[in-house]
């Protein structure tokens, strides 16, 4: 479901806690959340990635975009710092 870009992919991941997923599965869950426009899941799934994976430019970018989309108070400096890293 996830690798075929199924609209049901995010729902399939809904039964699994992020802590039990590998970085590869977390990446696919994040992609499914992006397709669904689920910014909260994008944010929490990227946060669950290993430190090494989370520092990759692609996930740094999408983490910043999620923070911006969620409009969390005080997130502007963090969004700017993340974008400057890449």
């Amino acid at each position: 479901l996830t690798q075929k870009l199924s609209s049901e992919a995010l729902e399939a991941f809904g039964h699994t806690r992020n802590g039990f997923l590998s970085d590869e599965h977390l990446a696919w869950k994040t992609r499914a959340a992006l397709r669904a426009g689920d910014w909260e899941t994008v944010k929490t799934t990227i946060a669950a990635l290993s430190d090494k994976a989370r520092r990759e430019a692609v996930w740094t970018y999408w983490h910043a975009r999620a923070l911006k989309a969620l409009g969390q108070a005080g997130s502007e400096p963090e969004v700017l710092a993340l974008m400057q890293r890449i």
Side-chain angles (χ1 to χ4, degrees):
L1 290 173
T2 60
Q3 295 176 349
K4 295 183 181 199
L5 306 178
S6 169
S7 61
E8 299 168 1
L10 189 56
E11 183 180 337
F13 276 117
H15 304 291
T16 307
R17 292 184 192 171
N18 288 342
F20 294 110
L21 298 174
S22 68
D23 281 344
E24 181 178 356
H25 287 113
L26 288 166
W28 281 107
K29 182 176 179 179
T30 304
R31 291 180 188 103
L34 286 165
R35 284 190 303 279
D38 184 345
W39 291 107
E40 185 62 35
T41 298
V42 170
K43 184 185 87 161
T44 59
T45 305
I46 291 172
L49 288 166
S50 67
D51 288 339
K52 180 181 177 186
R54 196 171 45 251
R55 286 192 303 267
E56 291 178 22
V58 64
W59 303 125
T60 299
Y61 172 80
W62 285 115
H63 185 214
R65 288 285 311 271
L67 291 174
K68 187 174 176 100
L70 292 169
Q72 296 176 337
S75 66
E76 295 83 12
E78 184 179 1
V79 169
L80 183 58
L82 289 168
M83 291 299 207
Q84 287 176 338
R85 273 198 339 212
I86 55 174

